[in-house]
Amino acid sequence: MTDQLKKYLFEDRSVRVQAVRLHETWLRAQENHQYPPAVQRLLGEMMAAAALLAANIKFEGSLVLQIQGDGPIALLVVECQSDLSLRATVKIREGREVPADGTMQTLLNAEGQGRFIVVLDPRRKVPGQQTYQGIVPLEGDTVAEALQHYMKASEQLDTRLWLQSDSQHAAGLLVQRLPDQGGTARSESTAETLARAILLANTLKADELIHTDIDTLIHRLYWEETLVAFDPLPVRWHCPCTRERVAGMLRTLGEQEVRDILAEQGKVRVTCDFCGKPYEFDAVDCSGLFAPARPMPEQDPPTVH
């Protein structure tokens, strides 16, 4: 079954609820990697979070969640396009052990230098528009808490997140207050709706979030509420790497550097950081990378009768 993200609005249109549950997408993310359990948990939660947040961007482009760490994990990155296609990568410091019971703080903020970064990158920028990048210290014990800290620090809409992942599924729930459109009474009503939505979501157990389908989950939480449901949105894994793109990267290294690698290793091996797919270029392949383009053979002009 296709992975999906579903959106709901409370009846007064003041609070949105979104839920996502990934299986095929999450398995694809792990396909060519052997992530330690603690890394697997953090990356799965970030993938669910990225899908939930990207579902609300108002432009064609990408949202990137990135944690730069000073512990055993140097980098966690998840990119989600506006069509909810995802890719992700992890950088673990060479020679550093990742304990199974490691937390976000011990693995990424051991020296207090960890940073949480959110990037919004429109594909078609209007004149003067730039890629947005927000950076905050890495605070909180979980990915959800770190994101909520970022949202508060950057004065975003009041948002709460619940995230979980295991080896098979990554799932998340978002509750978010929408901008007020009215006076004091409207604001007070919105605050009450938000508080109720959060109170009910806080009853979630970790196993419920991971193992329960979205419709059942939302019904269990909000069966007494009137929710407006929207059409589900498909979520998928997508890594744009190709052999042609890797060849282009090798050309940028230069012919001499590629020859040096060939002399040392016999082949040039490149592995995609995101999907883990391996690419190999032997001596013949590498010669072809730098061979001058052959001009098209000249043709005799057509005979006129």
Side-chain angles (χ1 to χ4, degrees):
M1 182 178 179
T2 303
D3 294 339
Q4 292 182 336
L5 181 146
K6 294 189 176 183
K7 296 185 178 186
Y8 307 84
L9 279 181
F10 273 72
E11 189 176 19
D12 64 2
R13 299 322 200 253
S14 65
V15 173
R16 69 160 57 104
V17 177
Q18 293 175 189
V20 66
R21 188 164 180 261
L22 307 177
H23 176 59
E24 294 176 8
T25 305
W26 180 218
L27 292 181
R28 287 289 306 278
Q30 304 173 76
E31 195 169 40
N32 294 309
H33 302 282
Q34 295 294 324
Y35 293 129
V39 174
Q40 182 187 71
R41 182 181 68 252
L42 290 170
L43 188 64
E45 291 178 5
M46 282 184 67
M47 287 187 67
L52 288 168
L53 296 177
N56 296 319
I57 61 178
K58 306 299 184 183
F59 57 82
E60 184 182 352
S62 64
L63 175 143
V64 178
L65 301 183
Q66 178 174 313
I67 301 179
Q68 293 182 352
D70 57 17
I73 302 176
L75 187 68
L76 281 168
V77 180
V78 177
E79 180 184 64
C80 188
Q81 298 294 326
S82 47
D83 65 358
L84 301 188
S85 58
L86 285 155
R87 64 175 182 165
T89 187
V90 179
K91 295 289 187 183
I92 299 174
R93 287 191 166 86
E94 190 173 354
R96 297 290 295 273
E97 181 183 355
V98 180
D101 60 351
T103 67
M104 184 179 73
Q105 289 295 329
T106 61
L107 295 176
L108 287 147
N109 202 29
E111 305 296 329
Q113 299 301 309
R115 294 292 181 266
F116 195 98
I117 302 167
V118 177
V119 179
L120 297 174
D121 188 13
R123 188 167 295 125
R124 298 181 181 87
K125 297 180 177 65
V126 299
Q129 185 179 23
Q130 296 181 339
T131 298
Y132 167 82
Q133 179 173 275
I135 305 175
V136 297
L138 185 59
E139 296 189 8
D141 295 325
T142 65
V143 172
E145 290 178 4
L147 259 172
Q148 286 163 184
H149 169 69
Y150 164 79
M151 300 291 280
K152 184 176 181 180
S154 58
E155 298 182 352
Q156 300 288 327
L157 297 172
D158 196 354
T159 304
R160 297 292 186 276
L161 288 156
W162 293 260
L163 305 168
Q164 292 291 336
S165 72
D166 59 16
S167 62
Q168 296 294 308
H169 295 94
L173 180 76
L174 174 147
V175 173
Q176 188 173 63
R177 176 176 181 161
L178 298 177
D180 286 332
Q181 297 181 5
T184 303
R186 170 69 172 174
S187 181
E188 291 176 354
S189 174
T190 298
E192 291 175 2
T193 302
L194 179 65
R196 190 167 68 253
I198 292 172
L199 179 67
L200 293 169
N202 277 334
T203 65
L204 263 178
K205 296 179 175 61
D207 284 351
E208 278 187 292
L209 186 55
I210 294 176
H211 299 301
T212 309
D213 68 88
I214 293 176
D215 290 333
T216 302
L217 184 76
I218 295 298
H219 178 72
R220 285 181 185 175
L221 293 176
Y222 300 115
W223 64 273
E224 291 185 309
E225 306 292 335
T226 300
L227 298 182
V228 179
F230 295 85
D231 291 337
L233 301 172
V235 185
R236 64 188 177 93
W237 172 266
H238 175 65
C239 183
C241 74
T242 62
R243 187 173 179 83
E244 289 72 25
R245 289 191 177 198
V246 175
M249 180 274 294
L250 292 177
R251 291 188 187 97
T252 64
L253 289 179
E255 186 171 5
Q256 187 56 54
E257 177 134 1
V258 171
R259 288 186 181 279
D260 290 344
I261 297 172
L262 272 174
E264 181 181 344
Q265 301 180 11
K267 290 184 179 180
V268 177
R269 297 176 177 86
V270 179
T271 301
C272 176
D273 285 338
F274 289 90
C275 68
K277 184 176 180 179
Y279 295 91
E280 287 193 354
F281 293 77
D282 60 18
V284 175
D285 296 328
C286 292
S287 295
L289 293 176
F290 302 99
R294 295 182 179 179
M296 293 291 291
E298 294 185 5
Q299 296 181 347
D300 293 331
T303 302
V304 178
H305 295 282

